[in-house]
Amino acid sequence: MDGNMIGPGPYRATKLWNETVKLFRGGMPLRRHWAHFRSYDNSFTGSEAVDYLHELLKRNQNFGPEVTRYQSLQLLRKFLKNHVIEDVKGRFGKEDFDDNGRLYRFPPQSPLKPLPRRVPVSQRGFIPPIPRWDECGETQVSDKIPMKPLILNSESWNKRHSIAIGEVPQCKLIQRKDIAPKHVDQIWKSMTLSHLQNVLGLQSLDGVLDSKLMSPKHIVHNVFSVNRQGIVVLKNKSEDLPHWVLSAMKCLANWPNGNDSKQPMYPGFERDVFRTVAEHFQRLKEPLLTFHLYEIFVSILGLLPRQQIAVEALQVCSLLLPPANRRKLQLLMRLMAKACHNPALPPLNDAIGTRTLMVQTFSRCILCSGDEVDLDDLLATKLVNFMIDNHENVLKVPAVLHKTVEDHLSHLRRAQFQRSYPDIYRRRFPTPESETAVFPERPQRLRPQLMFFTLKKPLQPFQRSWSFRA
């Protein structure tokens, strides 16, 4: 395949742009063309450029065979706009590349984008350290309540101390202390970013993600404020989709049984419903995955062939979204997946299939950069196709991360309880040595040889015992 596979890492979108430009400039066939009674050396027609770029992108393992000719045409227009190519008269602008009467050439100056300079270490968006138990000094103290057995998440720790928990009378009144909410939020943020870094296989998130812009409250909300289907529930209803959009999405997703409003089903009704949904999402000020997270989601595209790792990376990254964005993305992905797999849904377009229409309509609403030079159409199409195929898993809370954080919080609470009430902790949660003294080991089982020897003895006749008499 043409092009080297560019894996996760800083400035991946810029590297993909530069590589695509170099491959196109280095391989595009150039020859003499005639136009308006003049000859132009080292030139090519618009249709030749579209055909070559389309084949180049399909062979490139960074993009794949799903690239359409229309996407190649759109990219070529970006090339013209950003001085990668020019017409033979030295002009730039938006042209129709399927017009064989127009000729183009490569300008002498370099069209490559410079990689951003690395920021100093002191200014990098490093992962904040995970607070230790002795740093969680600020606690919330509730009113005095009857002490109950601690509910712990670490299964192994529960098994070890479950018998000893009942030693202290439950009616004893003590002040219950817990980790401050701001520390809990910070732990979730630190461990989420650390887990993301490990999943992507990166030594640092520098150049991929600015951790200072990530809100720990968003992560905690996305994990815990969900309904039974795992869809985010918003506290501020004004941030949710309008009722008429939700109604249209439900109608289309459950076609033909989702028309709650009982509107008349005229011919083409489903197309009008789809257009209603599409127009709302296309009017959003920024994509659902946000401009800030563009680089991190683009970095996952190296990982798509490794499906399980890519799914986990998407799970973690989507926790960083504002809750309103995550909810809208969850609802939109469910709509797209259901529509693509619903044979009862009439065609929504006469020229292209439902899946292609869904991807073309919503891909830029999901992922795009704030820079028009980037390969938004190609990258967004690749990501959205993968998300449709794995829609049931990509927006779930990652189970491994959830358990890891909860176990860490349990450890902090135990440590804090031990520091606050050492005598009670010592009686409640004995050491392995004290457990051995209270619960001695069971006698060892007989060796197989002795058991076999015992079974070989003849059965003794049953003798009635006097203890059975009345």
Side-chain angles (χ1 to χ4, degrees):
M1 296 183 181
D2 292 345
N4 298 322
M5 188 67 179
I6 299 178
Y11 319 121
R12 185 174 188 270
T14 302
K15 294 176 182 177
L16 285 171
W17 170 271
N18 287 344
E19 186 198 55
T20 305
V21 169
K22 287 190 289 186
L23 291 174
F24 179 65
R25 284 173 59 98
M28 178 68 204
L30 305 176
R31 59 188 180 88
R32 176 180 296 182
H33 288 83
W34 286 83
H36 305 293
F37 307 103
R38 284 190 58 183
S39 65
Y40 297 90
D41 292 331
N42 300 322
S43 61
F44 50 88
T45 66
S47 59
E48 290 173 345
V50 175
D51 292 340
Y52 179 79
L53 184 60
H54 186 207
E55 291 300 319
L56 175 69
L57 295 173
K58 289 197 300 182
R59 294 195 307 267
N60 192 309
Q61 54 188 335
N62 291 296
F63 305 110
E66 63 268 18
V67 177
T68 64
R69 193 176 189 278
Y70 176 77
Q71 290 175 324
S72 305
L73 175 62
Q74 293 294 96
L75 179 57
L76 206 58
R77 286 173 174 164
K78 285 189 176 183
F79 281 177
L80 183 64
K81 182 178 180 181
N82 293 281
H83 299 195
V84 176
I85 61 175
E86 63 183 10
D87 68 14
V88 292
K89 297 181 180 180
R91 297 176 302 184
F92 303 96
K94 184 176 179 180
E95 302 289 349
D96 186 357
F97 288 93
D98 286 321
D99 182 1
N100 281 319
R102 296 187 180 274
L103 297 179
Y104 302 90
R105 66 185 180 186
F106 293 121
Q109 65 270 22
S110 173
L112 302 183
K113 293 173 57 178
L115 291 177
R117 298 179 61 183
R118 291 293 187 101
V119 297
V121 177
S122 60
Q123 300 178 11
R124 290 181 184 177
F126 63 91
I127 297 177
I130 301 173
R132 303 191 305 272
W133 68 271
D134 54 351
E135 294 176 347
C136 300
E138 181 181 344
T139 58
Q140 286 188 339
V141 182
S142 67
D143 296 331
K144 291 185 176 182
I145 58 174
M147 182 62 186
K148 297 181 179 181
L150 292 178
I151 300 176
L152 304 172
N153 293 317
S154 177
E155 184 177 355
S156 60
W157 195 83
N158 270 337
K159 290 180 178 179
R160 177 177 172 184
H161 299 287
S162 58
I163 300 177
I165 287 178
E167 290 187 4
V168 177
Q170 295 188 13
C171 61
K172 184 178 176 93
L173 294 178
I174 66 172
Q175 288 185 335
R176 179 172 62 88
K177 297 184 178 181
D178 202 357
I179 306 173
K182 71 174 185 178
H183 286 121
V184 174
D185 294 349
Q186 190 62 37
I187 288 168
W188 267 102
K189 177 179 177 178
S190 299
M191 298 189 72
T192 298
L193 295 180
S194 178
H195 187 71
L196 176 60
Q197 181 176 322
N198 292 334
V199 171
L200 295 177
L202 300 176
Q203 295 182 349
S204 170
L205 293 179
D206 178 38
V208 178
L209 181 69
D210 187 351
S211 64
K212 296 178 181 178
L213 301 177
M214 301 299 105
S215 169
K217 293 188 179 299
H218 288 171
I219 300 173
V220 174
H221 188 109
N222 290 333
V223 172
F224 295 104
S225 298
V226 296
N227 60 18
R228 288 181 296 178
Q229 290 76 35
I231 305 295
V232 171
V233 177
L234 299 177
K235 296 178 182 179
N236 186 359
K237 298 302 181 182
S238 65
E239 297 179 347
D240 202 354
L241 291 168
H243 173 72
W244 52 272
V245 177
L246 288 171
S247 178
M249 295 176 71
K250 183 178 180 181
C251 174
L252 206 60
N254 300 305
W255 188 273
N257 303 316
N259 188 11
D260 288 343
S261 60
K262 308 301 180 184
Q263 295 181 0
M265 303 285 286
Y266 54 85
F269 175 76
E270 69 283 349
R271 298 191 179 191
D272 288 343
V273 174
F274 173 74
R275 192 177 300 111
T276 297
V277 177
E279 288 176 353
H280 174 79
F281 280 95
Q282 290 171 346
R283 286 197 299 265
L284 296 177
K285 295 181 179 179
E286 70 171 349
L288 295 178
L289 298 183
T290 73
F291 292 135
H292 292 312
L293 294 175
Y294 177 78
E295 282 289 345
I296 194 69
F297 279 100
V298 168
S299 292
I300 297 176
L301 294 168
L303 297 175
L304 297 190
R306 303 159 65 186
Q307 181 177 356
Q308 185 175 355
I309 296 179
V311 167
E312 186 175 2
L314 286 171
Q315 288 177 341
V316 182
C317 281
S318 61
L319 289 181
L320 305 177
L321 294 171
N325 287 45
R326 180 174 169 88
R327 172 176 169 81
K328 293 173 185 176
L329 182 62
Q330 287 174 319
L331 295 175
L332 181 58
M333 293 308 306
R334 290 183 65 181
L335 165 64
M336 296 172 70
K338 285 188 174 184
C340 291
H341 297 93
N342 184 4
L345 182 65
L348 299 175
N349 188 283
D350 295 330
I352 56 178
T354 299
R355 182 184 179 109
T356 303
L357 177 66
M358 289 286 175
V359 174
Q360 289 187 1
T361 302
F362 296 113
S363 59
R364 286 183 61 86
C365 306
I366 296 174
L367 177 72
C368 76
S369 69
D371 185 358
E372 278 295 320
V373 182
D374 283 318
L375 308 169
D376 293 340
D377 293 332
L378 300 175
L379 302 179
T381 296
K382 194 173 184 68
L383 182 65
V384 172
N385 271 309
F386 181 85
M387 294 179 72
I388 291 177
D389 292 336
N390 300 274
H391 73 281
E392 294 181 352
N393 296 317
V394 292
L395 294 176
K396 285 184 177 179
V397 176
V400 174
L401 173 63
H402 198 173
K403 185 179 186 306
T404 302
V405 177
E406 288 299 324
D407 285 351
H408 182 73
L409 291 173
S410 294
H411 170 73
L412 292 180
R413 292 186 179 104
R414 292 197 300 271
Q416 195 170 43
F417 183 84
Q418 181 182 18
R419 183 179 63 173
S420 302
Y421 309 104
D423 295 336
I424 296 177
Y425 184 90
R426 188 164 49 251
R427 294 196 302 271
R428 274 205 167 187
F429 308 112
T431 62
E433 292 76 13
S434 60
E435 280 185 342
T436 304
V438 177
F439 307 105
E441 296 183 1
R442 296 180 180 179
Q444 296 183 354
R445 295 182 179 179
L446 294 176
R447 291 183 297 179
Q449 294 86 348
L450 295 177
M451 294 178 64
F452 179 73
F453 176 77
T454 303
L455 292 175
K456 288 180 65 177
K457 290 184 178 181
L459 295 174
Q460 302 295 327
F462 175 75
Q463 295 181 359
R464 177 173 303 204
S465 172
W466 288 101
S467 62
F468 284 93
R469 295 185 177 181

